[in-house]
Amino acid sequence: MRSIKKIIKFFNIENNSPVKKKIFFFLLFISISGTIFSFLSLYINFFFDFDQYILITAAESISKNKLGGLPYFPNSSTGADIFYWPYIFTPLFYSLLLDYIPNLYNFYFIFILEFLIAVFVLIIFLKRLLKYLNVNENIVYIFFIILFFSPLFNQYFIGVKSTYRWCFIFSMLAIYFLFNLFDRNKTNHKRSDLFFCGFFSSLSPMAFISVGLPIFFGIQISFFIQNFFINIKNNPKKIVNFSIFFFGSLIPIFLLIIYFTNFSNTYDFQNLYKLFFHYSGEVIPSTIGNFFIKYGYFISSLLITSYAQVSFMPIFILSLIINLILFKNLNTNQKILIRTLTVFFVSWLILAIPFSTHIYATRMAILYPLFICSFINIF
């Protein structure tokens, strides 16, 4: 308790020492530059992550055959040799760059660029979120330090492993626009906020379906609750707002359907359709015992995980529960934050019931920015 009090005293609102800012920016600089040097070290030593290689191989397949698959996985049970659907956005994006990148290892410079974009989006997102909660700037320092030094979040969404990065970027942008829509200080919401919230929410599962799908449903449900149940006035405007949001959500899905139907033949489509449902039958628990084993692992990995030595998730879940208990005493913006985070969390728990093999608990680290806000809100 004494150590906690010392930390709180160090970040006291009345104690605005410039030294804290210098320490904060130094730690932030070390974190960002350390990741960039890790990329360069792997580039110099000719090391390439297998997941990254898969994405670039799918991109090369798109460049040659227009429809991206993994040729070295013939008769794949997921249809990955026909259409690499779990990560389709990234191979499509990389396929546009292949003519300008002379060899495989030069993609590391693209990974560095993606990393910097992710950090920039994260800073803009956190600035918006913390302004929305009207917290003191000292809290921002605590926020970034917790976030950048949390092992799971750093490994998956900030660190060298770049497989999930575009999913993270799109998810943060979608949630950014979602909180723009929830801002009570705005009497008239911009149509661009409505459109881009829906648009990026649909791009998120296309960048990585196992993480993006819970984000997509969380945003759709949160917007629906806020638009139709919380704001009970101005019904004609609600329909217009929902139409713009829904239109933005449909565009990426519509473009993906056009892409697949234009470049696939009937045989590919039928094979992928059969394989998808065959694979779903293997993944979805078929017996009660199998369900308890899979979902039991999901629940236990919320508390203890082998993916990182330290997991903040138990503390974050406890802070969410405390905020829900104190929900009536929170102000409007705090209630919106806790309700939105709860919707995301419950969406993840529900989608993990049939797909716990892929939508597993450690990937919930993408919600750390919201969880940390919930944690800070207690103090």
Side-chain angles (χ1 to χ4, degrees):
M1 286 298 295
R2 287 183 180 179
S3 59
I4 294 174
K5 286 180 180 179
K6 286 181 180 179
I7 293 171
I8 294 172
K9 186 178 179 181
F10 176 77
F11 288 100
N12 196 303
I13 291 174
E14 296 177 358
N15 181 19
N16 277 321
S17 171
V19 176
K20 287 185 293 186
K21 289 185 180 181
K22 291 179 181 178
I23 294 173
F24 164 69
F25 284 113
F26 175 73
L27 291 173
L28 194 61
F29 173 77
I30 290 295
S31 178
I32 293 172
S33 59
T35 302
I36 292 174
F37 281 120
S38 296
F39 278 117
L40 294 175
S41 173
L42 295 174
Y43 171 75
I44 292 169
N45 291 289
F46 292 96
F47 176 83
F48 215 88
D49 183 72
F50 183 65
D51 289 340
Q52 295 165 343
Y53 179 74
I54 286 178
L55 293 175
I56 295 169
T57 302
E60 189 177 19
S61 178
I62 290 172
S63 183
K64 292 178 180 178
N65 306 319
K66 302 302 181 184
L67 191 67
L70 301 177
Y72 51 72
F73 285 158
N75 302 314
S76 167
S77 62
T78 62
D81 55 329
I82 302 170
F83 183 57
Y84 196 46
W85 53 273
Y87 296 90
I88 186 58
F89 172 83
T90 310
L92 278 170
F93 172 64
Y94 286 169
S95 69
L96 301 175
L97 304 174
L98 283 174
D99 292 337
Y100 306 99
I101 298 177
N103 59 61
L104 182 69
Y105 289 95
N106 283 348
F107 263 96
Y108 269 116
F109 295 101
I110 302 298
F111 299 153
I112 292 173
L113 179 61
E114 291 174 356
F115 165 73
L116 293 175
I117 292 171
V119 171
F120 176 76
V121 168
L122 179 62
I123 291 172
I124 297 298
F125 169 72
L126 295 182
K127 184 180 178 182
R128 177 71 187 90
L129 191 58
L130 294 171
K131 183 181 178 182
Y132 179 79
L133 293 175
N134 194 27
V135 299
N136 184 270
E137 66 171 7
N138 295 291
I139 301 295
V140 178
Y141 305 150
I142 301 176
F143 197 117
F144 271 93
I145 289 168
I146 293 174
L147 192 60
F148 272 85
F149 288 92
S150 56
L152 273 176
F153 185 83
N154 201 296
Q155 176 185 347
Y156 278 130
F157 304 108
I158 294 296
V160 177
K161 188 176 178 65
S162 63
T163 319
Y164 305 158
R165 192 158 294 133
W166 281 108
C167 178
F168 168 74
I169 291 169
F170 295 144
S171 298
M172 291 301 101
L173 287 172
I175 299 172
Y176 171 88
F177 288 112
L178 183 70
F179 277 96
N180 274 356
L181 299 176
F182 290 168
D183 195 338
R184 292 292 184 98
N185 295 324
K186 293 184 177 181
T187 53
N188 292 317
H189 297 299
K190 293 181 180 179
R191 292 185 175 181
S192 58
D193 288 339
L194 292 160
F195 175 83
F196 284 118
C197 181
F199 182 78
F200 287 118
S201 73
S202 287
L203 279 181
S204 185
M206 291 181 189
F208 181 35
I209 194 165
S210 297
V211 172
L213 199 60
I215 297 294
F216 172 80
F217 278 104
I219 287 173
Q220 300 289 320
I221 294 168
S222 295
F223 177 81
F224 188 81
I225 290 172
Q226 185 71 19
N227 195 56
F228 289 103
F229 292 97
I230 305 301
N231 297 331
I232 57 176
K233 297 179 181 178
N234 204 358
N235 284 327
K237 203 168 187 178
K238 291 174 184 293
I239 301 300
V240 173
N241 288 347
F242 181 75
S243 299
I244 297 171
F245 172 80
F246 187 65
F247 178 69
S249 302
L250 280 180
I251 283 183
I253 299 171
F254 185 65
L255 291 175
L256 183 65
I257 292 171
I258 291 175
Y259 163 72
F260 183 74
T261 52
N262 278 354
F263 295 113
S264 66
N265 54 48
T266 306
Y267 180 75
D268 286 338
F269 181 79
Q270 289 176 346
N271 263 355
L272 190 62
Y273 179 81
K274 291 176 183 177
L275 286 168
F276 181 77
F277 283 97
H278 172 71
Y279 182 69
S280 298
E282 291 181 352
V283 172
I284 296 173
S286 55
T287 64
I288 295 177
N290 194 12
F291 164 76
F292 278 113
I293 290 172
K294 285 192 172 186
Y295 203 66
Y297 171 75
F298 174 86
I299 296 298
S300 65
S301 59
L302 285 171
L303 307 176
I304 301 172
T305 176
S306 59
Y307 287 87
Q309 292 181 339
V310 178
S311 174
F312 295 155
M313 190 59 76
I315 299 172
F316 291 157
I317 293 173
L318 180 61
S319 68
L320 178 60
I321 292 170
I322 293 171
N323 276 295
L324 288 172
I325 293 171
L326 303 174
F327 192 77
K328 290 183 179 179
N329 300 323
L330 303 180
N331 64 41
T332 302
N333 286 348
Q334 290 171 333
K335 286 181 179 179
I336 290 172
L337 167 71
I338 299 305
R339 184 172 57 245
T340 304
L341 177 56
T342 303
V343 169
F344 278 118
F345 186 69
V346 172
S347 298
W348 211 292
L349 293 179
I350 292 172
L351 286 170
I353 291 174
F355 301 117
S356 58
T357 306
H358 297 290
I359 304 177
Y360 50 80
T362 52
R363 287 170 174 168
M364 207 181 291
I366 196 172
L367 297 176
Y368 270 17
L370 295 178
F371 273 117
I372 294 174
C373 278
S374 169
F375 173 74
I376 290 173
N377 193 55
I378 296 174
F379 298 98

